[in-house]
Amino acid sequence: MSKKTIKHILKAAAFITVFCILFLGLQQILVPKYRSDGTLNTSDFFQLEENSIDVLLLGSSQIVCGVDTPRLKQYYGISAFNFCTSGQFPEIEEYYLKEALKTQSPRLVICDVSSVFMPFEKLANKQAMTYFYTTMPFDRYKLESLYNVSNGDPGTVFMYTFPLFLFSSRWKELSTDDLTFYTKYKFYTVNGFLRRDIKTPVTLAFVEEADGEIYELSDRMKDSLNRISEICDENGMELLFLKIPSDEWTRNDSRVLNEFMTENGMEFLDLSDKITEMGLDTEHDFFEPTHLNLYGAAKVSDYLGEIIEENLN
Amino acid sequence: MGIVSFWFIVLTAVTVILYDLPYFRRYGRYILLAASLIFYISFSPAGLLVLIPDALAAWAVGIRVQKLKDSQNADNYEAVQKVKLRYTLGNAALNILLLFLFNYCGGMAAFVNEKLGTGLWTAVGLFVTVGISYFSLKLVSYTADVYGGVIEAEKDPLNVILYAVFFLSIMQGPFDRYGKLMPQITDAKKRKLTYSSVKAAVIRIMYGYIKKMCIADQIGLIATHVFTRYEEYHGLAILTGIAAFAVRLYADFSGYMDIVCGIGQLMGIEIAENFRQPFFSRNMTEFWGRWHITLGAWLKDYVFYPLQRTGLFTKWSKAISRKTKNKLLRKAPAFTAEFIVWLLIGLWHGSGFNYIFGVGILQFIYIFTGTLLKPFSDKLRAFLHIGGKSVFLRIVQGMKCTLLMCFAWVFFNSASFENALAMFCNIFNDAFSAEQFTEIFTNNGYYPFIDVTDPLKVIGNWNVWLMYILVCIFVMFIVDILHERGQSVVEAVMRRPYPIRLAFYMLLIFSLIVFGSYGGTYNASDFIYYRF
């Protein structure tokens, strides 16, 4: 090989190296660091020691606010983690489950079903996609999920795989926090639980015995739920689909979902039906109509804790 | 498939690679033709129904004119010349008719219908023929050049079709001459491609994209916002919008030219330059020799000079020369021809009076007034002892040209002549204050009746954004100064050690990635001159 060729190769290598370093560095700086919507849960999950959790919770912010994982540990000895993001729906739960199983072997997986009746287009909106994907590692599961959720749109796959292109315009809003964020703390939440101390009286459709409209589960949603079930079966994990009480959930929603779950041999626990049992107070235990506060979360977690303790032991 | 799109980059990359591979050298024109047709079809497949027959007609006229020319001798010279002229003018008339039909007919008919209550056909249902303003004039220039003996008629019709549909000039020009462009494509030996030229080409392309995406599209948010909501703004806000449009237009148009010239360079094809630091012009005549150069050159060569050579103008010139010794009056035929040219330039941009006036009649007024006042300005300079090469003078002259064009561009960018006038009135109907400027960014109103969010929200932190814009304008200005002095930034960088070149490449790449306008909020394919 001539000196000239070696020189060209070295120059090319230097180009690629510098490009990658700058690209990844800028990406780290420009991608937003969300604080209140559960995106940070994903970052924290990958800091956990391997095979250190017994219970993996997947789903939306209703789980993030509704299941007090530190309480489960403190009072029931259950190591649990809310591996959730705002607006997470079953297809994303499936993706997160696959990612989680790379480093963890939980005995029980709990999946939130609050979004199963929402139209797909509403669930897979741009903002939600940024929450789902921006802090997740680059691997084939991410590409697969992006491809499926975007219905095969290469532009979307590209943008969310390389979020620098998605968030490049944030250069106008950068602060010192963007530069130092990842150097400050190891963990930003405690096992993925978000404490909310505000009390807001709410009215729950389920409690008011409003039957509501009858929605059908879409085929896409059914397939996702089935695949989650298959993954859990393959890995010898228990699976529980869970609904945290929230204002818009009706008895018809519960009934339709319950029918599907029963037909497919899946476990479903609708906590909307256990409000009295849990001692949930609609005046004091919610911080907004769709999310429990820390008092409500404590009650839900106590209820869940007993069930989990009983079933896992 | 706009020029700022993934598929255009793919198409260009494939075309360049195939074109430059020695194995495919002799198929170069077929590769370019295929790429050009794919590019054109992505915009307007039906437009080919006009473009291809039009190109074939021009080719046929060229062949006929060439045959007539070959049969010309001293005996039949005049008669054959007349026939040749008829064919050439016939082709020109065909293209003018097509231009009128596809570009002006609808607008003019709608105007007449509105004013006179008639029911003329407003070209509803007529398909869009993208690039007709460009390919029609190029085909006219082709037949005119054959007629004038500048080039021989092309025997292969595919070459004429390629010339018309060439993807690097179909959307925004330039108006390359057949004799300059096509030999570079048809004769592989004429290609000038070296490793250095490839590197320079890539840098030029990147600079073009930076001008378009990082400067024009960013500052365009302000320009569009102020121009569409001028009723809400006054004073400094309007002036800011006008200045923003001027920067946007220059960055957008010259950026496009950098991209196409750079791509041409990658294939060893020299595309005609369309800009030469226009804001450094000393007067408006020079400005139009530096801005949209090829359009002005086309009209000069195919309208101005031929008009002056017509019997009518020749007789008029002679008559005036006999009757008066006044230099200005003797120039009346030339001024008249020039007025017609400017009228056509205005009309070429659009049928609305705002175009005809702003980039037509007004430009003629500028140039005519400049000629009129030249003796006085020369005397004033001599009185003030300001030499012709004075930097101060150059700055004043450049600013004068810039201000005059900013005024004209208000008409160009307004929805109508009346809107432009109303905009000017709004500048002065309130005392100037700094709040008028900041209001553009802080007045996050909404578009009534339109369910969209305010595009200005994408600006975000406007203080930082504004600093960025000022830095961009400064950089563009410095680059233009260097080019004006005959210095090339690219060559200067290429001479430096590799680490510096690497830093420069990274600066270009990441400027594009970080500061570029792309994503859902921007329509990156929205080049201003696409609409012509």
Side-chain angles (χ1 to χ4, degrees), chain B residues 244-447:
Chain B
F245 179 72
V247 173
R248 184 202 175 184
L249 183 62
Y250 178 55
D252 188 284
F253 203 177
S254 66
Y256 182 95
M257 287 301 141
D258 284 327
I259 295 169
V260 300
C261 288
I263 294 171
Q265 249 178 286
L266 283 178
M267 296 187 283
I269 300 171
E270 208 176 296
I271 306 288
E273 296 287 346
N274 236 356
F275 290 89
R276 193 170 54 86
Q277 298 83 250
F279 296 110
F280 291 89
S281 306
R282 292 177 185 78
N283 51 58
M284 293 309 292
T285 305
E286 187 179 338
F287 181 89
W288 285 98
R290 290 170 175 255
W291 177 284
H292 209 170
I293 298 168
T294 57
L295 175 65
W298 191 98
L299 281 155
K300 196 166 67 173
D301 290 345
Y302 301 109
V303 178
F304 182 72
Y305 289 139
L307 258 182
Q308 297 232 307
R309 286 196 291 265
T310 56
L312 176 67
F313 274 75
T314 318
K315 282 179 192 162
W316 185 15
S317 286
K318 284 182 183 163
I320 277 203
S321 303
R322 278 198 301 269
K323 286 198 175 147
T324 178
K325 288 203 180 339
N326 185 302
K327 284 183 189 169
L328 208 59
L329 283 174
R330 279 177 160 203
K331 285 186 181 169
F335 282 135
T336 307
E338 193 163 0
F339 179 77
I340 292 170
V341 165
W342 282 110
L343 207 58
L344 290 174
I345 291 180
L347 204 56
W348 179 85
H349 284 87
S351 55
F353 187 66
N354 55 313
Y355 295 114
I356 295 171
F357 180 77
V359 284
I361 297 171
L362 186 59
Q363 302 305 315
F364 172 76
I365 292 172
Y366 285 160
I367 290 169
F368 180 73
T369 311
T371 309
L372 217 62
L373 294 176
K374 191 172 184 315
F376 301 104
S377 65
D378 287 344
K379 280 182 187 162
L380 182 63
R381 276 217 317 268
F383 177 75
L384 295 171
H385 301 290
I386 299 174
K389 291 188 180 174
S390 154
V391 170
F392 170 74
L393 181 66
R394 283 299 299 273
I395 292 171
V396 168
Q397 287 170 329
M399 283 175 63
K400 174 199 77 183
C401 291
T402 305
L403 288 171
L404 288 174
M405 281 315 299
C406 284
F407 178 80
W409 280 327
V410 174
F411 295 94
F412 177 75
N413 198 41
S414 292
S416 68
F417 184 77
E418 292 76 18
N419 279 14
L421 290 180
M423 206 165 157
F424 283 122
C425 289
N426 272 20
I427 295 173
F428 301 107
N429 65 2
D430 204 359
F432 281 71
S433 68
E435 282 77 33
Q436 289 167 340
F437 172 76
T438 56
E439 209 183 20
I440 301 170
F441 304 96
T442 57
N443 180 20
N444 277 332
Y446 61 94
Y447 288 104

Side-chain angles (χ1 to χ4, degrees), chain A residues 295-306:
Chain A
Y295 310 106
K299 291 173 186 172
V300 161
S301 305
D302 284 342
Y303 186 82
L304 274 178
E306 282 173 14

Side-chain angles (χ1 to χ4, degrees), chain B residues 417-484:
Chain B
F417 184 77
E418 292 76 18
N419 279 14
L421 290 180
M423 206 165 157
F424 283 122
C425 289
N426 272 20
I427 295 173
F428 301 107
N429 65 2
D430 204 359
F432 281 71
S433 68
E435 282 77 33
Q436 289 167 340
F437 172 76
T438 56
E439 209 183 20
I440 301 170
F441 304 96
T442 57
N443 180 20
N444 277 332
Y446 61 94
Y447 288 104
F449 316 120
I450 299 170
D451 188 24
V452 295
T453 55
D454 188 342
L456 278 198
K457 282 180 186 161
V458 303
I459 287 180
N461 186 340
W462 65 272
N463 292 299
V464 174
W465 180 89
L466 200 58
M467 285 298 305
Y468 160 78
I469 289 293
L470 291 173
V471 168
C472 287
I473 293 172
F474 179 73
V475 168
M476 265 206 313
F477 181 64
I478 295 297
V479 170
D480 273 4
I481 287 179
L482 291 170
H483 288 167
E484 182 69 7

Side-chain angles (χ1 to χ4, degrees), chain B residues 39-52:
Chain B
F39 182 66
Y40 192 85
I41 287 169
S42 74
F43 284 98
S44 160
L48 286 179
L49 295 171
V50 175
L51 189 149
I52 292 178

Side-chain angles (χ1 to χ4, degrees), chain A residues 92-118:
Chain A
I92 305 298
E93 289 169 1
E94 182 194 342
Y95 160 49
Y96 273 51
L97 178 59
K98 289 176 186 171
E99 284 290 345
L101 294 180
K102 278 160 58 178
T103 55
Q104 300 292 334
S105 311
R107 290 193 285 161
L108 170 66
V109 174
I110 298 178
C111 278
D112 171 39
V113 290
S114 57
S115 58
V116 294
F117 294 107
M118 286 188 193

Side-chain angles (χ1 to χ4, degrees), chain B residues 24-42:
Chain B
F24 293 114
R25 196 165 280 257
R26 55 201 168 113
Y27 303 114
R29 63 198 184 106
Y30 301 111
I31 294 166
L32 287 182
L33 184 60
S36 300
L37 289 172
I38 291 170
F39 182 66
Y40 192 85
I41 287 169
S42 74

Side-chain angles (χ1 to χ4, degrees), chain A residues 10 19 29 42 47 60 117 148 164 249 256 280 295 299:
Chain A
L10 286 173
F19 178 84
I29 292 168
T42 57
Q47 309 280 349
S60 67
F117 294 107
N148 293 331
L164 173 59
W249 186 259
V256 168
L280 214 57
Y295 310 106
K299 291 173 186 172

